[in-house]
Amino acid sequence: MKPKTNTKSIYLATYNQGKIKELSALLAAEGWQVKSLHDLPAEIQPTWIEDGDTFQANALIKARSLKGLVKGNILADDSGLVVPALDGAPGVYSARWSGDQEAPDADVKNNQKLLQELSSCKTPEERQAYFVCSLAFIDEQGEEHFFEGTCHGHVPMKLQGQGGFGYDPLFIPKGHTVTLAELGSTEKNRISHRFHALQQLHAYLTS
Ligand code: ITT
């Protein structure tokens, strides 16, 4: 069978260091050579406006903005936390939910806001949440493909743990008693929304 890519090198269209770390570890384990926007010269850094209504639309905006600037495979990740008790917020607005600050300030403010918004919800059932990771993959031929993964759990009553990034200190995955920030990167990479989305990409490439 003809392989779906000729090279196993890939550019990540993200500026988020947490995503770069996790995606790089997961892709390297599958034999990929991974580069990110930080490996590009300053004059060809892509910019984008994430104005899509869905994770997939935003992932595609990011992937397309890198297309034309580099040759080869491109992968973009749009992700976020969905809280049914908050009508799906922060959802696609996860990164900038509390304003326009950059991480890590944004992470601190977003987490404060999440605790505040959920203050009237006291049980794990009421505080259910899930992460979504939508990946847009543009292959060497320019074909666009999409993969999505989720990770279900709930939001604890207070911040727990120092690891990970974003909402990790406020997310206890189903079947666990500690947050993603306490679990450590190896375990997070076995259960995360990002891992599940990458599994789909891997299944596609090897089918
Ligand atoms: P890029 O657009 O450069 O990829 P970003 O941080 O703006 O970086 P998103 O628009 O996809 O990325 O926003 C995702 C936000 O959702 C991110 O900033 C985190 O706050 C949160 N998030 C996503 N995945 C997460 C994870 O695995 N753990 C904790 N929080 C996560």
Side-chain angles (χ1 to χ4, degrees):
M1 192 200 315
K2 191 171 169 289
K4 298 207 171 74
T5 63
N6 295 317
T7 63
K8 275 201 104 177
S9 72
I10 196 160
Y11 260 100
L12 303 181
T14 176
Y15 287 103
N16 182 311
Q17 294 286 6
K19 291 183 187 175
I20 291 170
K21 202 168 150 221
E22 290 179 13
L23 289 168
S24 299
L26 288 163
L27 288 161
E30 297 291 343
W32 288 88
Q33 281 200 317
V34 185
K35 289 187 177 170
S36 79
L37 301 182
H38 301 292
D39 297 304
L40 291 174
E43 64 276 14
I44 59 166
Q45 293 291 321
T47 56
W48 56 69
I49 297 170
E50 286 178 49
D51 56 2
D53 292 337
T54 63
F55 293 108
Q56 181 175 310
N58 284 331
L60 186 58
I61 288 169
K62 297 185 233 189
R64 281 183 179 164
S65 77
L66 189 53
K67 180 97 193 95
L69 297 181
V70 298
K71 285 196 175 22
N73 301 297
I74 292 169
L75 188 68
D77 166 321
D78 199 71
S79 42
L81 186 70
V82 178
V83 183
L86 302 179
D87 295 328
V92 293
Y93 305 108
S94 289
R96 283 156 285 276
W97 194 33
S98 55
D100 263 331
Q101 316 89 339
E102 297 291 315
D105 292 353
D107 293 345
V108 172
K109 291 236 163 66
N110 287 335
N111 283 329
Q112 282 170 352
K113 182 168 177 174
L114 182 57
L115 285 174
Q116 177 61 37
E117 298 268 323
L118 278 177
S119 58
S120 64
C121 299
K122 305 291 184 198
T123 66
E125 287 69 33
E126 288 175 304
R127 299 172 72 90
Q128 275 178 38
Y130 58 93
F131 276 113
V132 177
C133 172
S134 185
L135 296 176
F137 175 69
I138 306 183
D139 68 21
E140 293 157 323
Q141 289 76 38
E143 271 184 36
E144 296 170 348
H145 304 271
F146 304 98
F147 308 96
E148 201 155 279
T150 55
C151 180
H152 287 257
H154 74 274
V155 178
M157 297 298 288
K158 59 177 175 48
L159 292 158
Q160 292 175 209
Q162 305 293 326
F165 69 99
Y167 298 92
D168 281 347
L170 283 182
F171 187 83
I172 298 182
K174 210 170 182 171
H176 292 262
T177 54
V178 296
T179 65
L180 285 176
E182 295 171 295
L183 269 186
S185 55
T186 307
E187 184 57 19
K188 180 179 175 186
N189 278 347
R190 280 199 201 109
I191 61 168
S192 76
H193 44 307
R194 199 155 283 112
F195 165 72
H196 290 298
L198 277 176
Q199 267 195 323
Q200 310 268 323
L201 169 65
H202 182 65
Y204 161 72
L205 290 172
T206 54
S207 64

